């Protein structure tokens, strides 16, 4: 009789353990997604294939960059006598999903720096059109981080969810104002990945 009771207890315990394990697995984020501090799940599924991060990398840090892009009126490369607004560099604060500043983004060269002092540059792999009047989506491969901290081990960075930042349309770039600089406000999410 005692053996039957122990057997039933073991069976119930096994069933409860299996249910808990299944529930835990069901709550995990699917591949390519990550739960942010706000509870929102980031997914790159809706992004152009050219800027999707390769499998084997997972979201390590989500930031929102808000600031300015500087443009300079310069000669067009390989086109004597013609000028255009040329990207000169970014200057933005990086905030976490709750709005707290966690770093900055500046250049040239384009540099992401965390508040803990770790920083990195990167090599552009791909861009793809985003929304009208906004910078394109971008995927960059991170160079090894300088210093140790949040950016140590970052493999890729995606620029997504863009607003503004394109060359000024309301100010002409002509031979008369060559060398002039101007800034354009922008906002973008920078999603940092690490191997894992």
């Amino acid at each position: 009789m005692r053996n039957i009771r122990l057997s039933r207890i073991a069976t119930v315990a096994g069933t409860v353990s299996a249910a808990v394990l299944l529930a835990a697995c069901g709550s995990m984020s699917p591949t390519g997604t990550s739960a942010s501090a706000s509870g929102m799940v980031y997914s790159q599924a809706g992004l152009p294939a050219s800027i999707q991060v390769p499998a084997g990398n997972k979201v390590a840090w989500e930031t929102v960059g808000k600031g300015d892009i500087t443009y300079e009126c310069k000669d067009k490369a390989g086109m004597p006598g013609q000028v255009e607004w040329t990207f000169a560099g970014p200057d933005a604060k990086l905030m976490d999903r709750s709005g707290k500043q966690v770093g900055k983004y500046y250049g040239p060269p384009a540099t992401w720096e965390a508040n803990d002092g770790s920083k990195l540059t990167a090599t552009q792999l791909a861009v793809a059109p985003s929304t009208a009047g906004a910078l394109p989506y971008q995927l960059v491969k991170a160079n090894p981080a300088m210093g140790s901290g949040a950016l140590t081990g970052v493999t890729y960075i995606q620029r997504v969810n863009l607003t503004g930042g394109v060359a000024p349309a309301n100010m002409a770039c002509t031979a008369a104002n060559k060398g002039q600089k101007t800034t354009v406000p922008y906002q973008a999410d920078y999603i940092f990945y690490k191997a894992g």
Side-chain angles (χ1 to χ4, degrees):
M1 187 77 164
R2 184 167 181 225
N3 286 342
I4 293 172
R5 281 190 195 145
L6 288 176
S7 176
R8 284 184 184 164
I9 290 170
T11 301
V12 170
T15 304
V16 170
S17 295
V20 168
L21 182 61
L22 287 172
C25 288
S27 68
M28 290 180 180
S29 298
T31 302
T33 64
S34 170
S36 69
S38 65
M40 301 282 289
V41 175
Y42 174 77
S43 172
Q44 59 176 349
L47 297 174
S50 61
I51 68 143
Q52 290 187 18
V53 172
N57 295 277
K58 62 181 181 180
V59 174
W61 203 29
E62 296 181 45
T63 65
V64 179
K66 189 170 185 176
D68 297 305
I69 301 291
T70 299
Y71 288 91
E72 183 176 356
C73 184
K74 295 174 78 170
D75 290 320
K76 276 188 181 181
M79 302 180 102
Q82 295 187 37
V83 293
E84 66 181 348
W85 288 112
T86 305
F87 179 85
D91 181 19
K93 293 178 179 177
L94 297 177
M95 276 85 71
D96 65 14
R97 294 294 191 195
S98 70
K100 177 184 172 190
Q101 186 174 351
V102 293
K104 56 188 175 179
Y105 174 53
Y106 57 90
T111 304
W112 294 263
E113 183 174 340
N115 283 351
D116 61 22
S118 60
K119 60 184 175 180
L120 57 79
T121 59
T123 302
Q124 181 173 285
L125 297 178
V127 293
S130 63
T131 56
L135 293 171
Y137 294 121
Q138 182 185 50
L139 175 64
V140 299
K141 183 165 179 52
N143 296 320
M146 295 163 269
S148 61
L151 298 179
T152 303
V154 167
T155 52
Y156 295 92
I157 306 167
Q158 279 177 330
R159 181 177 69 195
V160 296
N161 196 22
L162 298 123
T163 306
V166 295
N170 60 348
M171 184 186 301
C173 172
T174 65
N177 66 341
K178 190 164 71 169
Q180 180 179 350
K181 291 183 178 181
T182 187
T183 59
V184 178
Y186 91 108
Q187 182 171 314
D189 288 0
Y190 292 96
I191 311 298
F192 296 80
Y193 288 79
K194 294 185 181 182

